[in-house]
Amino acid sequence: MERKQKISKELMDKFLQHRANEQERAEVIAFIRSSAPDDAVTEEIFTKSWEQIDAEEEELKSHPLHYNKVRENLAIPQSRGIQFATLYRIAASLLLLAVCIYTFVAHWQSILNIVDPVHYITQRASAGQRLEFNLPDGSHIVLNAGSKLTYPDRFRNGTREMTLQGEAFFKVVHDEEKPFLVHTGKLRTQVLGTSFNIHAYPEENTIRVSVLTGKVSVSVFQDTASVTPQQQHLLTVNQQVQYDRHTNSFSKEELISVEHTIEWTEGKLVLQKASFQEVASTLERWYNIHVEANQLEVEDCTFTSSFQEGTTLQDVLKMLSITNRITYKIEGNTVKLYAGKCSH
């Protein structure tokens, strides 16, 4: 009499969790084909298989085309008097089918990326310029001078993700199925549909997120590979959060209106509680010049000013010298800035 083939529970679990290698998979499949219906391990496989098939079916339903094709090719008897041996063969076949379906769905994104790859686009606004454009989902973007935004030419995987360096105003098309995610270093801003501004130049210490309409979630992660945020803040209309890169700390404030934070989209040069270094970098981007910033007693100084579109560099410097005790010297394409005692 032929000896019945056996497999261990550990091997069965590896097979059901898709961790078995080719040799182990072959061993389990051979066991399913040859094992008697009353085998205890086989019955456990059936139990787990039906549970998995139910779960896989729900997952598969999110892919209607593939789900319907599978349903058309399955002929499952409905009679209550069906024999266990027949049920056994059906279950074994469905188990193998479920594994194939799971593998197909799990790797569908990889297959798509090979057959129809996603290409990434980088939009750049040069010094002294602003750039307006729409994303593939119709969301409207305004890039400030010296900024760049990188995004895919189509949004997959249930999200709309992109990377910002610099400053941008976002007017996002609402889509509950695809959250809108903007990465700025360790900071991530997430929305479903709203309008907001992000100021995140790499040479500046402070990142600011301001909300014009809707709600925004701002999270900071330990690094770009982390999935669990260290801190998270929810912002609503006329709220702004500032993140200090050096201290890894947030400060949140209510604003009378966020409108002034996006005046740059209309061509105005805006300094909002800017550090002396931020003043220098802003002038560099706005007027495409080189600035040498010589700090004296300005460790805790902030500068707030607004200039109409078309204001010349000389006029901006004159106003800063009058209102903020900043002195300057122009040498060709270089501006040397000197800050005296801070006057808040």
Side-chain angles (χ1 to χ4, degrees), residues 47-158:
T47 301
K48 290 193 174 183
S49 298
W50 287 118
E51 293 173 356
Q52 179 168 320
I53 288 167
D54 288 340
E56 299 297 344
E57 183 182 34
E58 290 302 314
E59 170 66 20
L60 192 60
K61 282 180 179 178
S62 64
H63 304 269
L65 178 61
H66 306 135
Y67 177 74
N68 292 332
K69 286 184 178 179
V70 171
R71 287 291 299 265
E72 291 172 3
N73 287 287
L74 287 179
I76 303 177
Q78 300 297 324
S79 171
R80 293 186 178 181
I82 185 172
Q83 295 181 354
F84 184 79
T86 303
L87 181 61
Y88 173 86
R89 289 193 295 271
I90 294 172
S93 299
L94 284 175
L95 171 61
L96 297 178
L97 178 62
V99 171
C100 293
I101 291 171
Y102 180 89
T103 302
F104 180 79
V105 173
H107 295 284
W108 176 241
Q109 189 61 49
S110 298
I111 295 171
L112 271 180
N113 288 337
I114 294 174
V115 177
D116 186 20
V118 170
H119 299 284
Y120 283 84
I121 300 169
T122 297
Q123 298 277 15
R124 290 182 172 86
S126 303
Q129 298 180 343
R130 294 189 314 279
L131 181 64
E132 295 191 44
F133 56 93
N134 289 335
L135 296 177
D137 67 335
S139 296
H140 186 67
I141 310 297
V142 186
L143 273 186
N144 204 349
S147 305
K148 68 177 181 179
L149 186 74
T150 301
Y151 57 93
D153 61 358
R154 70 203 77 178
F155 294 117
R156 289 179 177 166
N157 296 329

Side-chain angles (χ1 to χ4, degrees), residues 23-41:
Q23 182 178 349
E24 291 170 335
R25 288 181 67 254
E27 185 178 342
V28 174
I29 293 171
F31 168 76
I32 292 173
R33 290 172 177 168
S34 63
S35 182
D38 61 347
D39 189 283
V41 178

